[in-house]
Amino acid sequence: QKKNIILKADIDKEKLSKIKGVEEIIEKSDEYEIRISSKNIIENVFKYVSTCKNVLKFVVEEPSLNEIFVSKVGESYEK
């Protein structure tokens, strides 16, 4: 199941986006929302983030109802 990681740290978006399973990085003011393909990716993202400076926040969240709806409707629409 897909997850989101809310992150507040000095990261290199390019390096983070190269981690297998990272689908999207959304910049929101002083935070990043990282969308990942499954919970198995969390550890790899955490390993990278632990090497970064000024890590103030690392929160794993379930996708919003809207994100779930869009992914399900999008999947059935494409079939």
Side-chain angles (χ1 to χ4, degrees):
Q1 185 183 12
K2 295 184 179 208
K3 301 268 186 195
N4 294 334
I5 299 172
I6 307 301
L7 181 63
K8 194 171 189 178
D10 294 339
I11 62 162
D12 181 335
K13 280 176 64 177
E14 193 173 320
K15 282 184 183 175
L16 189 58
S17 67
K18 288 181 180 173
I19 296 172
K20 188 177 180 191
V22 171
E23 296 182 341
E24 188 177 9
I25 302 170
I26 303 163
E27 225 169 314
K28 295 184 173 182
S29 62
D30 63 341
E31 293 182 342
Y32 296 95
E33 181 179 325
I34 296 103
R35 295 189 179 169
I36 57 174
S37 57
S38 75
K39 66 181 181 180
N40 303 334
I41 311 303
I42 296 168
E43 188 176 344
N44 293 340
V45 173
F46 185 78
K47 281 180 184 174
Y48 167 69
V49 171
S50 67
T51 67
C52 299
K53 294 185 178 181
N54 300 318
V55 180
L56 301 175
K57 186 176 188 180
F58 187 95
V59 179
V60 179
E61 295 182 341
E62 297 296 325
S64 70
L65 289 176
N66 183 53
E67 290 170 330
I68 294 168
F69 177 79
V70 168
S71 73
K72 296 295 179 194
V73 171
E75 284 175 17
S76 63
Y77 181 75
E78 289 172 5
K79 288 181 182 177

